[in-house]
Amino acid sequence: MKTLVWAIVATAFSAFGLLLSLWGVDDRIIAKFPWSAPAVNLIPIASLTMLGLVFALFIVYLIVALISTIYIRTSSSLQNVTSVACREEDLPKIRKIAESEIGQVSSEEDTLALYRRNKQAFRKIVDTKTHEIIGYFCILPLTSDGLDRVKNRNLLEPPIDVKCFAQKFRKGADVYIGGIAGVGPRGKAGAHEQLKLFIVNKNFVTAYARPMTKRGVALARENGFKPVSENDNLVTGVYAYKIRSI
């Protein structure tokens, strides 16, 4: 409110200064008091400068207000969304979401084997009001063998070797994002938000992924993913990407 008042006062003052100039008041003042010419001539310049500053501040205010509104709406839409470790009976639902949103997914046998290797790796995105599963993500800690296979782009060549993945998470680990998807805009936003929170909370150093869609590639770029090899391009089909240190 104070900012608005000051803006109104500054605008009024600037407009008043310009009006004095337009009405020729400044010329009459100079004619009567020649010694005041340097100061009087500065009035239009000062008025225009102040109007410019007020306009610039107004634009900044609009941008900040727009960003705040978007943030509040996004935060509000996700305030009842959380991630929970999947149960084995959740896997069919997770696979259905993945097949619908991504297309190609691991076989049921491989999915089950990966789940039993690390039951904390599969996270369902849940609406806490309806208890509905609206998305998921899978993030697997890599062993040294798994990291080597990521860099050689053959981590997921069938049959999947579960020994490439650790059975527990540890701080500073290298991890592989096995999949992420959500139902509708809220599910997608919730899945990506919860994945970021999970990575930060677990204090992982490096994450790898293989985007399977154009949207996935776009998200990889937006989040700082880079090709593992300098000779690779960040396009669909390239195997793995390395995200900058967190």
Side-chain angles (χ1 to χ4, degrees):
M1 186 65 181
K2 289 182 179 179
T3 303
L4 180 61
V5 172
W6 278 108
I8 293 173
V9 171
T11 303
F13 177 79
S14 302
F16 180 70
L18 289 174
L19 286 173
L20 289 179
S21 180
L22 290 172
W23 289 338
V25 175
D26 52 350
D27 293 334
R28 280 177 277 177
I29 293 174
I30 293 172
K32 193 170 183 179
F33 307 102
W35 54 266
S36 66
V40 173
N41 287 332
L42 287 175
I43 292 176
I45 298 174
S47 299
L48 286 172
T49 301
M50 190 170 291
L51 278 175
L53 288 173
V54 170
F55 180 76
L57 289 172
F58 178 69
I59 296 298
V60 171
Y61 173 80
L62 288 179
I63 292 172
V64 171
L66 178 61
I67 292 173
S68 298
T69 300
I70 293 173
Y71 176 78
I72 290 171
R73 288 182 178 178
T74 302
S75 299
S76 176
S77 67
L78 298 179
Q79 65 181 355
N80 296 315
V81 173
T82 189
S83 70
V84 183
C86 287
R87 298 173 298 180
E88 192 167 314
E89 54 264 36
D90 294 322
L91 295 182
K93 174 68 174 179
I94 297 303
R95 285 181 54 79
K96 185 176 180 181
I97 292 174
E99 288 173 351
S100 173
E101 300 297 325
I102 301 174
Q104 180 182 354
V105 295
S106 301
S107 67
E108 292 183 21
E109 293 77 11
D110 284 338
T111 301
L112 186 58
L114 289 171
Y115 173 78
R116 290 177 176 173
R117 178 69 174 176
N118 188 328
K119 294 184 179 180
Q120 296 298 313
F122 286 80
R123 314 286 299 184
K124 58 186 177 183
I125 309 303
V126 180
D127 184 325
T128 57
K129 282 190 173 181
T130 63
H131 303 291
E132 180 185 3
I133 298 175
I134 59 174
Y136 89 101
F137 65 84
C138 171
I139 184 165
L140 297 147
L142 293 165
T143 61
S144 57
D145 288 342
L147 185 57
D148 288 339
R149 291 187 64 174
V150 164
K151 293 177 178 179
N152 291 323
R153 304 171 189 76
N154 62 358
L155 178 69
L156 298 183
E157 288 184 0
I160 292 177
D161 185 358
V162 294
K163 292 181 180 179
C164 289
F165 306 104
Q167 293 178 292
K168 293 182 179 180
F169 290 104
R170 59 178 177 80
K171 290 184 178 180
D174 294 316
V175 294
Y176 177 79
I177 302 172
I180 177 171
V183 179
R186 188 161 178 260
K188 291 179 174 65
H192 287 96
E193 181 70 18
Q194 291 299 317
L195 173 59
K196 290 178 181 178
L197 288 174
F198 190 80
I199 289 174
V200 171
N201 290 337
K202 292 292 186 180
N203 197 24
F204 300 137
V205 172
T206 309
Y208 296 87
R210 183 190 182 188
M212 300 300 294
T213 64
K214 290 183 178 179
R215 177 56 182 157
V217 172
L219 286 170
R221 285 173 171 162
E222 291 170 12
N223 288 280
F225 278 72
K226 298 178 181 179
V228 169
S229 170
E230 293 180 358
N231 298 321
D232 289 340
N233 294 315
L234 193 59
V235 294
T236 302
V238 176
Y239 183 75
Y241 304 93
K242 181 177 182 180
I243 196 169
R244 58 179 175 264
S245 294
I246 297 168

